[in-house]
Amino acid sequence: TRSTRPQRLLKAVQKRATRGDPQSVISAIDHFCRHSEWAMNVGDEKGSILDSVVSELNPEKVLELGTYCGYSTVRIARLLPPGARLITLEFNADYAAIARQVISWAGLEDKIQLVEGASEDWIPRMKEHFGIETFDFVFLDHWKDRYLPDTKLMEDCGLLRKGTVLLADNVICPGVPDYLEYVRNSLSYKSSYFKSHLEYTKAEDGLEKSVFLG
Ligand code: SAM
Ligand code: MG
């Protein structure tokens, strides 16, 4: 049977990237997506905005919602300080299996915990299961109808503290109007938009950075 896109993406990594070199893994995936097949990674253009937010924050506890093939996971983890931890959630077992190999190729498995399952099931278990008090940084990039309910769930579960930064991808394309309405109007957040383009295209998209004020 024909291979899947994530399998072909992994092949491109194994062919073009150097083991233990996260930057080469990122470049190999971007090259594959620009020259062979589009895929739903945050991509290089929005990725550099993601990099600057992570670098400025220097977070120790990070949550990513939506792993897919592990592109943004590698992108974030490569910038984390020693001892920092990134938990990434993915409910598609086939994608998770590819992501594990991409993460391992990048040599970042010590920093990353890939958890298989749905965000709405795992967010309430973060404290008891992973001993997490609060997250410093959350990257939201799973299905768009879950941004708002999962944000409210993280609030209710006490996973956000004063200063926690939420960074949401694809707020214009495909768009998350209910989430934007919430973070932009709530007194509990200070929110700003970073204009960019949908991964590997010229269509407008952007990231919304929302600082939780408590
Ligand atoms: N963050 C990745 C990157 O930039 O490389 C891309 C993630 S992709 C856009 C979204 C992923 O979220 C898909 O792999 C999908 O299976 C997963 N997903 C969607 N809803 C989810 C949920 N509620 N819980 C866990 N995973 C979810
Ligand atoms: Mg995205």
Side-chain angles (χ1 to χ4, degrees):
T1 63
R2 203 173 131 74
S3 66
T4 65
R5 180 172 310 181
Q7 286 168 344
R8 295 189 290 276
L9 183 150
L10 173 63
K11 279 233 160 62
V13 167
Q14 292 166 340
K15 189 170 165 210
R16 300 185 69 95
T18 308
R19 275 183 194 270
D21 176 359
Q23 189 56 54
S24 74
V25 170
I26 291 164
S27 303
I29 297 173
D30 286 329
H31 185 275
F32 172 79
C33 292
R34 284 199 181 278
H35 301 284
S36 300
E37 300 177 50
W38 186 92
M40 59 179 164
N41 323 117
V42 69
D44 43 6
E45 192 185 339
K46 286 181 292 176
S48 70
I49 301 170
L50 170 62
D51 288 356
S52 34
V53 173
V54 172
S55 299
E56 186 186 274
L57 207 61
N58 208 27
E60 292 197 338
K61 299 272 180 283
V62 178
L63 176 64
E64 174 177 70
L65 303 178
T67 317
Y68 188 44
C69 298
Y71 173 90
S72 54
T73 317
V74 166
R75 198 143 191 142
I76 296 166
R78 84 195 203 287
L79 299 172
L80 296 181
R85 216 163 136 210
L86 164 51
I87 297 175
T88 182
L89 301 185
E90 176 54 60
F91 66 13
N92 179 309
D94 296 326
Y95 297 165
I98 297 292
R100 280 188 207 287
Q101 295 177 76
V102 168
I103 290 163
S104 148
W105 200 274
L108 287 168
E109 55 273 77
D110 290 354
K111 286 189 151 57
I112 298 165
Q113 208 154 357
L114 170 51
V115 179
E116 277 180 55
S119 53
E120 52 271 41
D121 296 331
W122 276 105
I123 288 170
R125 298 164 71 188
M126 284 291 152
K127 287 200 186 239
E128 47 146 344
H129 207 272
F130 298 105
I132 295 289
E133 279 301 318
T134 54
F135 287 106
D136 304 311
F137 178 64
V138 181
F139 183 52
L140 296 92
D141 193 21
H142 54 338
W143 294 158
K144 308 314 158 193
D145 59 352
R146 288 304 310 174
Y147 284 29
L148 183 55
D150 284 344
T151 296
K152 290 179 174 168
L153 195 53
M154 290 188 286
E155 289 175 14
D156 293 343
C157 295
L159 289 168
L160 309 182
R161 53 138 175 107
K162 193 177 161 67
T164 296
V165 171
L166 309 185
L167 190 68
D169 189 26
N170 307 109
V171 301
I172 303 300
C173 186
V176 280
D178 62 341
Y179 175 82
L180 282 188
E181 219 267 322
Y182 179 72
V183 290
R184 288 177 180 176
N185 295 309
S186 164
L187 296 173
S188 299
Y189 293 90
K190 185 179 190 310
S191 209
S192 47
Y193 175 61
F194 292 80
K195 186 176 169 169
S196 186
H197 298 96
L198 178 69
E199 49 265 33
Y200 318 113
T201 76
K202 293 189 168 81
E204 184 181 340
D205 189 23
L207 297 162
E208 185 82 4
K209 177 188 172 186
S210 309
V211 185
F212 187 64
L213 303 174

